[in-house]
Amino acid sequence: MRRRSHHADLLRVEAVDVGERWTLTFHGEGAHVARSPLADAPPHSGGACVRGTAEQLYSALWNRTPLASLHVEGDAGMVDDWPRLLRVRWR
C-alpha cells in the first residue's frame, strides 16, 4: 500500500462482530498493520477509527460502499478521502 495524502498517521479498523482491531500506521511510502483483540485495544488517540461488522468493513475498505456509512470517530477527512488515500499494488 502506498499513502497518497498527508492526513492522520493512524487508521483503526474495528470489526465489532468478531472482536478484532487492525491499526494502520502510515509512514513514508508505506504502512504497517497490526492486529489485536478489540478487548485488549487501548483507547483511541489521534487518527481515525471506523467501526462496523466484518462484512461492512470489507466492503467499505475495498471501496464497494462508502466508509462514511460506518461508525466513524476522529479525522473525518481520512475517511472522506479513503478512495484516494491508498492504492493496492499487486506484485
Side-chain angles (χ1 to χ4, degrees), residues 6-89:
H6 297 292
H7 282 279
D9 293 327
L10 294 173
L11 174 64
R12 292 174 186 85
V13 178
E14 297 181 348
V16 296
D17 58 332
V18 296
E20 293 290 329
R21 173 193 267 182
W22 292 264
T23 302
L24 288 78
T25 306
F26 298 99
H27 52 87
E29 290 291 313
H32 172 76
V33 179
R35 180 179 174 185
S36 62
L38 196 50
D40 296 343
H44 303 291
S45 60
C49 177
V50 292
R51 188 177 296 122
T53 66
E55 182 179 359
Q56 292 169 324
L57 291 167
Y58 183 85
S59 179
L61 291 170
W62 284 98
N63 298 321
R64 304 290 187 237
T65 57
L67 274 178
S69 66
L70 303 172
H71 177 81
V72 177
E73 293 178 14
D75 183 3
M78 174 178 272
V79 174
D80 293 340
D81 289 345
W82 176 259
R84 294 179 302 278
L85 282 174
L86 298 176
R87 67 177 172 180
V88 177
R89 296 186 318 184

